[in-house]
Amino acid sequence: MSYTVNHLKALESESIFILREVAAQFQNPAILFSGGKDSILVTYLAKKAFYPAAIPFPLVHVDTGHNFRETLEYRDKLVERLGAKLIVGSVQETIDGGRVAEEKGYNASRIRLQTTTLLDLIEKYRFDACIGGARRDEEKARAKERFFSHRDEFGQWDPKNQRPELWNLFNGRMHMGENFRIFPISNWTELDVWQYLAMEGIEMPSLYFSHKRRIFYRDGNWLAESPNIPMKPTERAEEMVVRFRTIGDITSTGATLSSASTLDDIIQEVAATRVTERGGRADDQRSETSMEDRKKEGYF
């Protein structure tokens, strides 16, 4: 147990160092907040990094309009509890403004549309660094990222032209109009995240714990029944006991059949599984390079 605690404290120390580097090197950073466990972790690490002062970065949430109700309720309570500033960007407003076109059909999703909303927010508020909760073990495109990930004036990422990061030296220099994405928990694993959340006693959204929900099976995933997901004539929803390993747009977030009702249960389940947490994300299954393509366009 002492090894686990020491390991988690080392990860915490590294992440807090990076967050303080962001505050030192950039003029107007923000935390990209999805309501998922990783962005919650980053937010609490920021609280620790600058305590007793308030978190010096606003929380920025790109709302697809197809979020789980529980996610939005948790977000609002967290912001109130921490006294943080919240900025919400609406994908629906981006659609209504003619900036992007809504996808059609059974597999329609707003995941890709988030990019335009995010880039508009960065431009509007002139954020020069956006702090995210991505981890290298999540997905192969995530593994290519640096802690300080440079974006050009169009918000695009070039994985073949990244800056070296030697020891604890981070280069935040940029030209006018450029910005950075910062990933302070890159070296954490899913298991690390849950163990740390349990160690710190951090309250989590109810979606992560087992509960009854009407779901249906499509293309290898269990999806939540929702007015935002048109069902095929052959599909039938049924009530089952599930939880969610990731929290995102309801149209692409797969449920996991699970009886894990406590943090300890989740830790045991994650330690035993051989399926990545994003294995149930329908948006990642559109192509082998789906995530990397979106990141190159400016996605978080």
Side-chain angles (χ1 to χ4, degrees), residues 25-30 122 125-130 174 178-182:
Q25 292 197 39
F26 297 96
Q27 297 297 315
N28 190 26
I122 291 173
Y125 292 97
R126 298 187 178 182
F127 296 129
D128 52 2
C130 292
M174 59 187 168
E178 299 175 344
N179 63 84
F180 276 77
R181 307 295 165 81
I182 311 294

Side-chain angles (χ1 to χ4, degrees), residues 13 19 24 55 65 149 161 192 199 203 208 224 234 252 273 280 284:
S13 178
L19 287 165
I55 298 173
S149 183
N161 188 30
D192 292 331
M199 182 178 74
E203 181 183 349
Y208 280 119
T234 57
S252 61
T273 190
D284 286 354

Side-chain angles (χ1 to χ4, degrees), residues 32-40 60-62 67 71 75 247-248:
L32 299 180
F33 187 84
S34 68
K37 65 184 181 306
D38 299 321
S39 62
I40 292 170
V60 174
H61 182 211
V62 178
N67 292 105
T71 302
R75 178 200 69 188
I247 296 178

Side-chain angles (χ1 to χ4, degrees), residues 173-210:
R173 295 180 181 178
M174 59 187 168
H175 298 292
M176 181 68 70
E178 299 175 344
N179 63 84
F180 276 77
R181 307 295 165 81
I182 311 294
F183 302 108
I185 63 168
S186 288
N187 286 335
W188 297 57
T189 66
E190 182 186 9
L191 185 59
D192 292 331
V193 171
W194 283 116
Q195 288 178 331
Y196 183 86
L197 294 171
M199 182 178 74
E200 295 291 306
I202 297 173
E203 181 183 349
M204 298 300 292
S206 60
L207 289 168
Y208 280 119
F209 303 99
S210 63

Side-chain angles (χ1 to χ4, degrees), residues 13-300:
S13 178
E14 177 184 61
S15 298
I16 286 176
F17 173 80
I18 293 167
L19 287 165
R20 289 172 176 167
E21 275 292 298
V22 172
Q25 292 197 39
F26 297 96
Q27 297 297 315
N28 190 26
I31 294 175
L32 299 180
F33 187 84
S34 68
K37 65 184 181 306
D38 299 321
S39 62
I40 292 170
L41 171 61
V42 169
T43 301
Y44 273 94
L45 288 170
K47 177 186 176 184
K48 273 198 171 187
F50 302 101
Y51 185 83
I55 298 173
F57 319 126
L59 305 187
V60 174
H61 182 211
V62 178
D63 183 358
T64 66
H66 294 167
N67 292 105
F68 289 93
R69 171 183 52 80
E70 295 91 334
T71 302
L72 301 181
E73 291 175 353
Y74 178 91
R75 178 200 69 188
D76 294 341
K77 289 179 181 178
L78 178 68
V79 168
E80 182 179 2
R81 185 164 65 248
L82 297 180
K85 178 182 179 181
L86 175 66
I87 296 172
V88 178
S90 169
V91 172
Q92 183 63 57
E93 290 182 6
T94 305
I95 295 170
D96 294 342
R99 299 273 290 134
V100 294
E102 181 91 76
E103 292 184 3
K104 306 296 182 183
Y106 290 115
N107 296 312
S109 171
R110 291 184 171 183
I111 293 296
R112 202 165 197 124
L113 308 187
Q114 292 180 96
T115 299
T116 300
T117 306
L118 174 58
L119 294 177
D120 286 347
L121 285 172
I122 291 173
E123 177 69 21
K124 178 179 179 180
Y125 292 97
R126 298 187 178 182
F127 296 129
D128 52 2
C130 292
I131 305 163
R135 307 186 325 272
R136 290 183 179 131
D137 74 321
E138 282 183 86
E139 200 270 344
K140 56 188 178 183
R142 301 285 202 205
K144 298 179 181 181
E145 290 274 18
R146 303 288 196 263
F147 284 110
F148 278 30
S149 183
H150 177 262
R151 298 298 198 269
D152 66 20
E153 63 272 25
F154 301 106
Q156 297 174 325
W157 173 61
D158 181 1
K160 296 180 179 179
N161 188 30
Q162 297 192 84
R163 298 174 179 182
E165 290 183 344
L166 306 176
W167 303 285
N168 287 329
L169 301 176
F170 302 106
N171 183 355
R173 295 180 181 178
M174 59 187 168
H175 298 292
M176 181 68 70
E178 299 175 344
N179 63 84
F180 276 77
R181 307 295 165 81
I182 311 294
F183 302 108
I185 63 168
S186 288
N187 286 335
W188 297 57
T189 66
E190 182 186 9
L191 185 59
D192 292 331
V193 171
W194 283 116
Q195 288 178 331
Y196 183 86
L197 294 171
M199 182 178 74
E200 295 291 306
I202 297 173
E203 181 183 349
M204 298 300 292
S206 60
L207 289 168
Y208 280 119
F209 303 99
S210 63
H211 58 284
K212 290 182 179 179
R213 185 176 294 268
R214 288 182 61 79
I215 59 174
F216 66 97
Y217 196 71
R218 176 183 292 176
D219 299 331
N221 294 319
W222 290 101
L223 296 174
E225 183 181 48
S226 167
N228 299 316
I229 311 178
M231 293 177 62
K232 301 175 183 179
T234 57
E235 295 173 334
R236 294 289 182 273
E238 54 185 313
E239 186 176 84
M240 302 184 75
V241 176
V242 302
R243 75 177 193 89
F244 293 88
R245 288 178 69 187
T246 66
I247 296 178
D249 187 287
I250 198 169
T251 63
S252 61
T253 303
T256 299
L257 303 180
S258 171
S259 60
S261 58
T262 67
L263 286 175
D264 287 340
D265 291 343
I266 291 175
I267 289 169
Q268 292 181 25
E269 184 178 273
V270 170
T273 190
R274 293 296 176 266
V275 178
T276 66
E277 65 197 282
R278 294 190 70 93
R281 292 292 292 266
D283 49 308
D284 286 354
Q285 298 171 12
R286 292 193 172 194
S287 74
E288 289 188 1
T289 61
S290 181
M291 172 64 78
E292 184 162 331
D293 292 342
R294 294 202 305 276
K295 288 174 72 63
K296 287 179 180 178
E297 294 169 357
Y299 182 68
F300 143 75

